[in-house]
Amino acid sequence: MDIPEKSGLFMGRTIAVVNDLSIDEQIYLYEKTKEIKSAIRNRKSLSHFQINDSRVSTYIVFLEDSTRTRESFKSAALFHNTRLSIMDAQHSSFKKMESYADTFKMLCGYNEYSLFIVRTKLEGVCRWLEKALSEYAERNHLPKPAFINGGDGKHEHPTQEFLDEYTFYETKKWDRSSIHIALVGDLYHGRTVHTKADGLKFFKEVQVDLISPEELAMPDHYIEKMKSAGFSVKLFHSIEEYLKSGRIADIWYFTRLQLERMGEDVREKSGRLRAAVTFHEKFLPLLPEGTRFYHPLPRHREYPTLPVFLDSTPLNGWEEQALNGYFTRIIEIGMLGGKLGKDFTGKHPVVPEYPDDFIVEVEPVNKPKMDYKVGIKPISEGIVIDHIGKGDDAETIWDHIYKIRRILDLNTTSSHAVFQSRKTDLMKGIISLPSIDSRDFEERKIKKLAAIAPGCTLNFIEKHRVVRKLRLNTPHRVYNFDEIGCTNQDCISNPVHNENTQTEFFRSGENTFICKYCEKPHRFKDIWTI
Ligand code: CP
């Protein structure tokens, strides 16, 4: 194996979320997993899968409890004969308030090529390390390290998802034309079910039945994500209600109630909540033939939602699922460690583009203007921001006007108003800025205004005439502004964690942005910190 970068197609890659592997790459992972599983089970030669190179170091950095993920990755790294280091929260500089970026930079510098597998309570850590360590590696002429997210808070657990999807694919005898799956349990806190919104895209036609009491329901944005991926989604409050509905899935995926992540108000109801998603013997005759149950494990020792009497029945798919964690992780290390991938011929993930098409030039109209009823006079020079918050109520639009002034530092001689449009009867806001030279309102400010007030129009006035008019729509990406920040306290980019991580936001729907790191959705007004 050549250590210099690019000797393997997957070296230096980061798997922070499921979408970091394209569908073609996932197919490759599952095909190789099938091969290694067969080779191990049939005691065939394994050397062509193994890295066998002590210049490759695997670091398992787990700052949150784990049994399956940590141990299966450890066994997979030992399979490959790489160097192996295991770090946890008790025995590392994290306890001494060292930043994530600093710790990983040092570790990366001690090896010729490093592959990090990281579990944290904080969300978005691998995405951040990918950025910080790429820059560090470039500065110091080191090969770019690889990162695998072993689970980050409530956000994602991509390698669990890959082993789940591999297991479903195997169960369906390598047919990925369709899947009908029931997700059962704590769908609010469980990252393994959140990840399904992307992971199930591996199948071409997807039906998802969500079974959870209201308190533990799947967050709306994941349901929206599933629907926009073309999944058919149905909601049920208990297994009992679901079984009466008629069309029952043949694949059920259970998750435990994550009591450690719940507030006291929800924890108090845990008995009732658990009862709604616990399987009982009386339900057995209502299942379609060939049904299989899965669970990422662990089950609760005292109150398992999948009772132990099911262990010896054909419903038990979770034991094979857990075993598949070892095989898929051997392949993941093999790919990112540079051994596997040279025979990959499919497509890599598409690198998104962020065009400036949200700024639309429109023909200026120069009809004689009446004074607005609220008293704003047409101006002879300067700029006018119009159509602010169109359709909102007056109070919301006032808030919006003050927010625009604060963020764009427009507290200068000027006027503003909220009024009702004569044409549409909708309320809208206007800011009139005669003291601003239109030539000073440069591109960067226009982009910022689009992100604060999508839907507004920007008029440049000279000598009583509108000389330029722009309609500003929601940008595809908002970045490089000091005044933006993620509101998720558990996100690595939140200033409370002192990582000096400046987030970016990507448009994910009409006027909705997701944080680059934790992917929490924000309304466009909520990305601003001032
Ligand atoms: N399924 C899973 O991630 O288990 P661990 O928390 O034990 O790693």
Side-chain angles (χ1 to χ4, degrees):
M1 171 187 154
D2 308 320
I3 280 291
E5 239 175 314
K6 309 287 179 217
S7 61
L9 266 181
F10 294 95
M11 290 182 84
R13 286 273 295 270
T14 288
I15 303 176
V17 295
V18 165
N19 286 341
D20 286 331
L21 289 189
S22 67
I23 296 291
D24 283 353
E25 291 171 343
Q26 290 172 35
I27 292 171
Y28 181 81
L29 162 63
Y30 303 149
E31 280 169 357
K32 291 287 164 197
T33 300
K34 187 179 171 190
E35 284 175 34
I36 188 86
K37 185 171 177 179
S38 165
I40 290 175
R41 292 256 162 108
N42 295 305
R43 301 185 184 280
K44 297 265 172 63
S45 165
L46 301 172
S47 57
H48 58 294
F49 289 101
Q50 284 169 313
I51 295 173
N52 273 331
D53 192 326
S54 60
R55 292 173 299 171
V56 177
S57 269
T58 308
Y59 278 94
I60 297 182
V61 183
F62 270 42
L63 306 178
E64 193 189 44
D65 292 343
S66 168
T67 305
R68 276 144 290 272
T69 313
R70 191 190 55 210
E71 291 306 309
S72 56
F73 265 122
K74 181 176 150 194
S75 301
L78 291 171
F79 168 91
H80 280 291
N81 293 322
T82 65
R83 279 169 60 191
L84 173 63
S85 299
I86 300 181
M87 291 171 62
D88 58 33
Q90 272 67 48
H91 305 97
S92 69
S93 295
F94 298 113
K95 267 185 95 172
K96 293 189 254 173
M97 292 298 288
E98 186 168 11
S99 76
Y100 278 86
D102 272 1
T103 304
F104 284 86
K105 280 176 195 169
M106 292 310 102
L107 297 176
C108 171
Y110 301 151
N111 305 290
E112 289 185 55
Y113 178 70
S114 306
L115 163 57
F116 296 103
I117 299 148
V118 186
R119 174 174 287 196
T120 51
K121 281 195 172 70
L122 282 188
E123 299 171 16
V125 172
C126 283
R127 182 60 74 233
W128 163 236
L129 291 174
E130 176 190 34
K131 177 174 159 52
L133 271 284
S134 296
E135 289 163 8
Y136 167 81
E138 197 168 328
R139 271 198 307 277
N140 292 286
H141 312 290
L142 296 168
K144 191 173 146 190
F147 292 94
I148 295 179
N149 176 9
D152 58 338
K154 292 192 294 304
H155 178 219
E156 278 232 14
H157 193 354
T159 67
Q160 176 71 46
E161 187 57 28
F162 295 142
L163 80 88
D164 291 346
E165 296 304 325
Y166 174 79
T167 306
F168 305 150
Y169 191 31
E170 185 179 54
T171 305
K172 294 178 82 58
K173 305 206 169 12
W174 320 112
D175 173 8
R176 63 182 196 98
S177 58
S178 67
I179 189 166
H180 184 187
I181 185 169
L183 304 180
V184 191
D186 183 354
L187 308 185
Y188 183 80
H189 299 91
R191 60 193 171 201
T192 62
V193 284
H194 298 166
T195 315
K196 297 265 168 305
D198 285 318
L200 285 167
K201 286 191 280 192
F202 177 72
F203 292 94
K204 291 176 185 156
E205 203 184 299
V206 182
Q207 284 183 68
V208 185
D209 300 330
L210 303 173
I211 306 170
S212 69
E214 223 158 273
E215 292 87 339
L216 303 178
M218 179 73 86
D220 286 343
H221 63 277
Y222 289 109
I223 297 179
E224 284 313 309
K225 203 171 178 186
M226 289 180 174
K227 287 183 178 167
S228 50
F231 300 3
S232 146
V233 183
K234 290 191 182 141
L235 274 63
F236 303 90
H237 292 111
S238 67
I239 294 179
E240 194 145 21
E241 182 195 329
Y242 179 53
L243 287 170
K244 284 182 192 150
S245 75
R247 265 202 99 216
I248 309 302
D250 57 355
I251 291 182
W252 289 43
Y253 189 92
F254 287 77
T255 57
R256 76 187 168 89
L257 269 61
Q258 306 214 359
L259 295 170
E260 74 279 12
R261 296 189 205 275
M262 290 179 196
E264 197 50 49
D265 52 332
V266 182
R267 241 194 321 262
E268 276 173 5
K269 304 176 198 162
S270 59
R272 174 175 65 76
L273 302 179
R274 195 179 279 113
V277 291
T278 298
F279 197 83
H280 297 287
E281 201 166 356
K282 65 178 179 187
F283 297 146
L284 283 174
L286 303 172
L287 294 174
E289 208 179 312
T291 300
R292 301 276 280 171
F293 286 174
Y294 301 95
H295 194 305
L297 306 178
R299 282 186 288 182
H300 194 281
R301 191 167 50 205
E302 199 177 356
Y303 307 110
T305 53
L306 272 181
V308 285
F309 82 87
L310 292 169
D311 289 9
S312 54
T313 70
L315 290 168
N316 181 347
W318 60 91
E319 289 177 354
E320 189 72 14
Q321 175 194 5
L323 295 174
N324 284 338
Y326 174 53
F327 304 120
T328 46
R329 285 168 176 142
I330 287 178
I331 301 303
E332 287 154 13
I333 292 181
M335 286 164 72
L336 272 59
K339 180 69 185 177
L340 302 173
K342 293 189 183 88
D343 54 344
F344 174 75
T345 53
K347 290 193 180 121
H348 293 294
V350 177
V351 179
E353 288 176 14
Y354 306 104
D356 280 353
D357 59 3
F358 57 94
I359 302 172
V360 184
E361 294 267 355
V362 287
E363 196 62 38
V365 179
N366 276 297
K367 283 190 293 198
K369 286 249 186 282
M370 285 182 285
D371 285 5
Y372 288 112
K373 281 184 189 151
V374 283
I376 291 189
K377 286 188 182 301
I379 56 173
S380 56
E381 302 284 331
I383 63 167
V384 174
I385 305 168
D386 199 357
H387 296 274
I388 297 165
K390 192 170 172 180
D392 286 341
D393 59 67
E395 197 178 337
T396 309
I397 298 172
W398 277 119
D399 277 352
H400 206 155
I401 286 174
Y402 290 124
K403 200 167 186 112
I404 294 168
R405 285 188 174 280
R406 253 193 332 271
I407 296 168
L408 287 175
D409 198 16
L410 295 176
N411 292 324
T412 164
T413 315
S414 54
S415 55
H416 52 220
V418 174
F419 63 97
Q420 197 161 16
S421 158
R422 269 192 291 264
K423 269 196 221 149
T424 61
D425 275 354
L426 295 175
M427 303 289 269
K428 59 179 187 169
I430 188 166
I431 306 176
S432 184
L433 298 144
S435 57
I436 296 224
D437 186 333
S438 55
R439 283 160 301 194
D440 290 345
F441 208 83
E442 83 288 11
E443 195 72 9
R444 197 172 144 72
K445 271 205 166 146
I446 296 172
K447 288 185 173 175
K448 207 176 200 177
L449 177 61
I452 308 165
C456 76
T457 56
L458 180 60
N459 301 278
F460 296 85
I461 320 279
E462 285 174 26
K463 300 191 176 108
H464 297 279
R465 292 183 64 78
V466 182
V467 292
R468 189 180 178 208
K469 185 179 180 101
L470 302 176
R471 179 158 295 119
L472 305 183
N473 298 315
T474 315
H476 302 275
R477 178 185 179 208
V478 182
Y479 64 107
N480 222 2
F481 294 128
D482 290 341
E483 306 89 346
I484 56 172
C486 179
T487 56
N488 176 7
Q489 291 282 312
D490 296 326
C491 176
I492 184 79
S493 75
N494 194 298
V496 295
H497 304 300
N498 296 310
E499 285 283 334
N500 296 314
T501 315
Q502 176 64 60
T503 195
E504 299 177 14
F505 288 96
F506 303 114
R507 184 176 166 180
S508 71
E510 195 58 34
N511 293 341
T512 309
F513 290 106
I514 55 166
C515 166
K516 168 177 174 159
Y517 296 105
C518 71
E519 299 187 310
K520 180 184 168 179
H522 291 68
R523 293 180 319 152
F524 70 91
K525 286 182 207 162
D526 298 334
I527 67 175
W528 302 96
T529 54
I530 61 168

